[in-house]
Amino acid sequence: MISLLRYLSLPILFAFLVVNILGAQTTNPEFDSLFAEKLQQKLTELGDEGDYRGLSAAVLIPGQGIWTGAYGLAAPGVPMETNMRLGIASNSKAVTAGLLLKLQDEGLLDLDDPISLYLPDYPQVDGNIPIRALLNHSTGLFDFINDWSGATQTAYGDDDNRVWSLADLMATLGMPYFSVGEQFDYSNTNFLVAGLVAEAAGGATLGQLYHQYLFDPLDLDMAYPPHDDVFAQPYANLWNTAGTSVSLDGNGEHTFLTFPASAGAIWSTPYDLVRWYEALFNSDWLEEPSSEDLRYRDGYIAYTTGVRVRNDLGHSFYYHAGAWGFRSYLLYDPRTGISVAMISNQYGTSVTASAIDLFAEALAELPEPNRDVGLVDVLPVGTTCFADEPFILVRNEGLEAITSLQAGVGLDGTWQDTLTVEVGGGLAPGGQLFVNLPFSLGNTEEGKRTFQVELITGTPDDIPNNNYRNVAFARDDGTGLALPFTEDFEGTMNMPSSLISQQRDNLLDWTVTKFASATGQQSLARINYYDGNIGHKYAFDLPLLHIDDQGAMLSFAYAHTIYPGVGREDLRGYISTNCGASFELLFELNNNDLATAPQSTELFLPTQDQWATHQVDLSSFAGEDVLIRFELENEFGNLTYLDDITVDIPTAMTELINADIRLVPNPARQSVGVYFSENDQVRFCQLLDAYGRVLHTEKVAANATEVIIDRANLPAGTYFVKLLTDNAVVGIQRLLFF
């Protein structure tokens, strides 16, 4: 249940998984025996090195099935078995989120509904909170577990056999930390309230709803106390931090079992956890709108809907950790379709690093499948002036030759054709093909589009997860758009249509956030905080633009902070005069040049005064059609934000210069004194950028003759100082910061 610590670790058919659970929570017979042996060896090694009392684990491999393994003791003298249920703690959150998504599929609720439609008034809970904010922890609600009050702690300890109801738990809440939508803060109370919403919308108790919509139809041997007796089937006892066994016999542990409620009280086996993630992420169990809601995340938050997101081992995956006596970790990797689950029955010892090590072992020792064709790359990505048709790079990653191959293709989410891919006498194991697909990408006036392609083999592919790609592109005839160009990131939840990401299948790409902005309500964010893929570069392109003969200026607002003692992110800009065939460096901000706020180990959310503006003179490209690319290199740091990207002709503001206004010094390195006459009756002093946009306004005291302007974090460049009375402009002077 405790929020994950930062440094713990740097569509196949679902039908084949549905088996008799209670009698068959063991490795599938078809699972490669040598692979299974290596996974068990790794689990034993992790158990020994981590000094765990007991571990239970499962790995789901498309084309192989499910491996299960156990290590150590479930209780003194009792070996851990793979069919023993254990508490999964905060991995219960995805189960509760899945229930709400399923209720949305049934038309019983909508994630954008306020909770007041379903719940009575509760002290300390704002009825205007949208259900969606509960599921991504942006409500500000007091955390009834991590921040419980002394009275609650006493009540918890007074009676081991107390069955805590959701209403009992709601009575323990303290004051909210902040108003809904202000920031992200992991709080178990969000999923406590979500459980209440589910009961109201579903018309039944939470235990009944879990069974009706999840456990029974998906044939999962999960249990929710007190609705279910978690001791009715084989289960594992706990060990405390001193290494002493803690007896769980069902006669006096209702407080421990029921207190986490819908935020963390579910019990399961790793076998069923990987099957659960398979249903959630890799099947049609959810309808498409709810599946999109499951995956949607705000750019400032590495949390979707009851599930976290991180990058590591060169992969990008969904995951969650849990801690309530038992410790659990569960991940799903969309690229490979692999799911990994691990649970320990030792309080206080995390399994996060061990679970990711087991994932690494699965990736490293993955047997070569008999039939596996991989879609390695798709072109075009971004803006192109050359391609009328797409190209794909195909590789045979299996042991058998590929003798027949087709490609399903589509645009903007609609499949349009199935094309034959010529493989000659066959594509040998390890062989590659660079293929031009005879399919029209549309005309140059249609702007940003998405291209989908899926490889289809004559015999079903053993590893289908690497057969599909979806990329964004725009075709251009080589004539750039007339200036001005501006993107303020307002009015969209996704990457705006004016920008095209260079990323493929990365869950931590640049994404719009509603939590921070230089102006307006939204900006673009890249969260490096959970990205262990060091050195990876995240790029996006502006549309092709025509620079006027007068030249132009690129301007953008940015905010960033450094994570102490780790890496330094690099933000670079590149420019191309040949429609992306080649690029040259345009600007670079790194280290302290990029930082606009003090170093922080917390998720960075900039205040209004922690934004800076960077300007780049494009006069040397006058008369050219240019493509501008932004690129951020990840060093596992914090967050980077961009806003108000503009390319325009600089504003000439010389006609209003007043000789009675003096700027000292000018040019300036830091502070500037603005001097004027008392007779001018100046009431306001404004600092403007090269486009005439107001960056700062300061009220001037009556009868004053001087104002001091502080440069703060502004980059070098040309600015203007504007003085005003209540209803007129006194004058304007040009200011140069160097």
Side-chain angles (χ1 to χ4, degrees):
M1 309 289 291
I2 308 300
S3 183
L4 179 67
L5 295 177
R6 175 181 172 82
Y7 280 110
L8 292 176
S9 170
L10 274 178
I12 65 174
L13 294 177
F14 185 66
F16 84 93
L17 297 173
V18 179
V19 297
N20 185 331
I21 303 304
L22 297 183
Q25 295 214 330
T26 57
T27 301
N28 297 132
E30 64 271 24
F31 204 94
D32 182 275
S33 59
L34 181 59
F35 188 26
E37 182 180 339
K38 289 180 178 178
L39 291 175
Q40 181 60 55
Q41 288 174 351
K42 185 64 177 181
L43 182 65
T44 301
E45 174 189 316
L46 293 169
D48 290 341
E49 290 178 351
D51 197 25
Y52 293 103
R53 291 296 180 269
L55 289 174
S56 183
V59 180
L60 185 155
I61 306 285
Q64 291 275 331
I66 301 175
W67 166 84
T68 59
Y71 167 87
L73 299 175
V78 181
M80 180 72 78
E81 300 289 346
T82 58
N83 65 340
M84 289 178 169
R85 285 193 300 214
L86 305 92
I88 67 173
S90 279
N91 271 298
S92 304
K93 290 181 172 63
V95 181
T96 301
L99 173 60
L100 289 167
L101 290 168
K102 203 63 181 174
L103 293 175
Q104 179 173 256
D105 284 348
E106 298 292 321
L108 298 174
L109 57 79
D110 189 290
L111 293 195
D112 292 318
D113 289 342
I115 62 174
S116 60
L117 291 181
Y118 306 92
L119 304 181
D121 291 340
Y122 284 96
Q124 321 299 4
V125 179
D126 183 354
N128 294 315
I129 292 173
I131 298 172
R132 189 185 305 276
L134 296 171
L135 303 183
N136 67 17
H137 295 290
S138 59
T139 66
L141 291 178
F142 175 91
D143 190 330
F144 78 99
I145 290 181
N146 288 333
D147 297 301
W148 61 0
S149 66
T152 305
Q153 188 171 4
T154 299
Y156 177 88
D158 277 348
D159 182 3
D160 286 345
N161 209 29
R162 175 177 181 175
V163 176
W164 286 80
S165 70
L166 299 182
D168 291 339
L169 295 166
M170 291 295 289
T172 71
L173 302 189
M175 289 288 291
Y177 305 132
F178 51 84
S179 298
V180 60
E182 286 186 0
Q183 63 186 75
F184 169 86
D185 188 75
Y186 186 94
S187 172
N188 290 286
T189 303
N190 290 314
F191 282 81
L192 174 61
V193 177
L196 287 167
V197 170
E199 288 189 335
T205 67
L206 201 54
Q208 291 170 331
L209 294 171
Y210 283 141
H211 276 273
Q212 178 182 350
Y213 289 102
L214 281 80
F215 301 170
D216 297 343
L218 295 176
D219 204 10
L220 302 173
D221 184 32
M222 291 183 173
Y224 179 71
H227 182 275
D228 299 303
D229 180 2
V230 298
F231 307 111
Q233 300 298 331
Y235 68 94
N237 270 292
L238 271 172
W239 303 78
N240 61 26
T241 52
T244 306
S245 177
V246 179
S247 175
L248 296 177
D249 57 12
N251 295 320
E253 292 296 334
H254 281 116
T255 284
F256 170 76
L257 295 175
T258 62
F259 191 81
S262 45
I266 293 173
W267 284 48
S268 181
T269 62
Y271 182 93
D272 277 321
L273 284 179
V274 295
R275 296 174 66 245
W276 159 237
Y277 259 25
E278 176 71 9
L280 191 62
F281 289 108
N282 206 20
S283 78
D284 58 1
W285 180 68
L286 289 175
E287 295 180 7
E288 187 59 32
S290 289
S291 184
E292 291 179 3
D293 283 334
L294 169 70
R295 290 167 170 80
Y296 171 75
R297 72 169 186 89
D298 182 276
Y300 152 66
I301 304 174
Y303 207 100
T304 60
T305 302
V307 182
R308 295 181 181 270
V309 178
R310 89 178 269 119
N311 288 350
D312 213 339
L313 305 175
H315 289 246
S316 186
F317 51 85
Y318 299 97
Y319 79 101
H320 213 293
W324 182 255
F326 299 96
R327 303 297 290 261
S328 67
Y329 193 89
L330 177 59
L331 70 85
Y332 170 75
D333 175 27
R335 185 195 305 181
T336 62
I338 293 174
S339 293
V340 175
M342 183 179 289
I343 310 177
S344 165
N345 62 336
Q346 182 170 343
Y347 181 83
T349 305
S350 170
V351 296
T352 295
S354 295
I356 293 181
D357 283 349
L358 186 62
F359 177 45
E361 183 75 5
L363 293 173
E365 300 295 339
L366 192 66
E368 289 187 83
N370 288 325
R371 293 174 301 279
D372 181 25
V373 60
L375 185 55
V376 179
D377 208 353
V378 177
L379 295 173
V381 177
T383 299
T384 177
C385 300
F386 311 108
D388 297 321
E389 297 175 337
F391 290 81
I392 59 174
L393 179 60
V394 177
R395 182 166 57 233
N396 184 353
E397 298 181 348
L399 297 174
E400 297 180 357
I402 303 295
T403 57
S404 65
L405 187 62
Q406 292 181 310
V409 291
L411 289 171
D412 304 326
T414 301
W415 293 100
Q416 298 185 5
D417 205 352
T418 301
L419 308 172
T420 298
V421 177
E422 296 295 338
V423 293
L427 183 60
Q432 293 192 160
L433 283 175
F434 191 63
V435 182
N436 172 221
L437 297 177
F439 176 75
S440 174
L441 292 172
N443 60 53
T444 58
E445 287 78 39
E446 290 175 314
K448 180 179 177 179
R449 308 194 71 180
T450 58
F451 173 66
Q452 304 96 242
V453 58
E454 182 174 11
L455 298 179
I456 305 166
T457 54
T459 304
D461 199 325
D462 290 336
I463 311 291
N465 287 70
N466 60 2
N467 291 16
Y468 176 84
R469 286 293 181 102
N470 186 342
V471 298
F473 73 96
R475 292 194 60 230
D476 203 288
D477 63 2
T479 304
L481 299 175
L483 301 183
F485 167 82
T486 185
E487 178 53 68
D488 58 10
F489 304 102
E490 303 296 319
T492 180
M493 294 174 62
N494 302 303
M495 193 72 159
S497 59
S498 64
L499 308 182
I500 303 180
S501 172
Q502 297 288 307
Q503 292 300 299
R504 301 169 176 85
D505 310 320
N506 199 305
L507 303 176
L508 288 177
D509 196 6
W510 289 99
T511 308
V512 168
T513 177
K514 63 181 180 181
F515 290 89
S517 64
T519 61
Q521 303 297 317
Q522 299 187 154
S523 63
L524 192 67
R526 232 305 291 176
I527 183 166
N528 316 311
Y529 197 90
Y530 294 102
D531 195 338
N533 294 337
I534 306 299
H536 194 92
K537 298 173 182 178
Y538 298 84
F540 64 85
D541 292 346
L542 307 188
L544 193 68
L545 302 172
H546 181 72
I547 306 300
D548 195 272
D549 290 342
Q550 302 174 60
M553 185 80 75
L554 166 67
S555 175
F556 59 90
Y558 66 97
H560 174 77
T561 193
I562 295 170
Y563 193 97
V566 191
R568 303 289 189 265
E569 267 64 42
D570 291 326
L571 179 66
R572 303 182 184 95
Y574 297 89
I575 191 165
S576 171
T577 57
N578 52 18
C579 202
S582 61
F583 284 86
E584 61 180 274
L585 185 66
L586 184 63
F587 68 84
E588 183 170 18
L589 296 171
N590 51 41
N591 300 330
N592 291 324
D593 291 335
L594 181 59
T596 62
Q599 296 185 12
S600 176
T601 59
E602 302 297 323
L603 280 174
F604 174 51
L605 189 63
T607 59
Q608 206 59 48
D609 63 349
Q610 290 176 330
W611 286 85
T613 301
H614 189 68
Q615 298 170 346
V616 182
D617 187 355
L618 302 178
S619 59
S620 61
F621 300 96
E624 299 269 16
D625 294 300
V626 301
L627 188 61
I628 297 174
R629 174 171 296 172
F630 283 72
E631 177 187 272
L632 183 71
E633 183 172 346
N634 169 53
E635 291 294 337
F636 201 27
N638 210 298
L639 277 119
T640 303
Y641 298 85
L642 297 174
D643 202 0
D644 297 331
I645 299 175
T646 303
V647 182
D648 199 2
I649 301 169
T651 302
M653 303 187 71
T654 58
E655 67 278 12
L656 295 174
I657 292 178
N658 189 312
D660 292 334
I661 302 173
R662 294 183 299 115
L663 306 182
V664 181
N666 187 20
R669 184 180 298 276
Q670 194 58 48
S671 296
V672 177
V674 183
Y675 301 94
F676 44 88
S677 170
E678 180 180 337
N679 296 330
D680 290 330
Q681 298 182 338
V682 174
R683 298 297 306 278
F684 302 96
C685 176
Q686 293 181 332
L687 181 65
L688 294 77
D689 66 13
Y691 298 100
R693 296 177 301 191
V694 177
L695 303 176
H696 175 71
T697 299
E698 186 164 334
K699 191 172 182 179
V700 178
N703 303 318
T705 60
E706 171 186 355
V707 174
I708 303 298
I709 294 178
D710 184 26
R711 177 177 177 176
N713 292 312
L714 291 175
T718 299
Y719 298 86
F720 295 91
V721 176
K722 186 176 185 179
L723 301 182
L724 305 96
T725 65
D726 283 326
N727 51 25
V729 176
V730 174
I732 296 175
Q733 281 279 19
R734 187 186 304 272
L735 168 63
L736 180 65
F737 282 130
F738 65 94

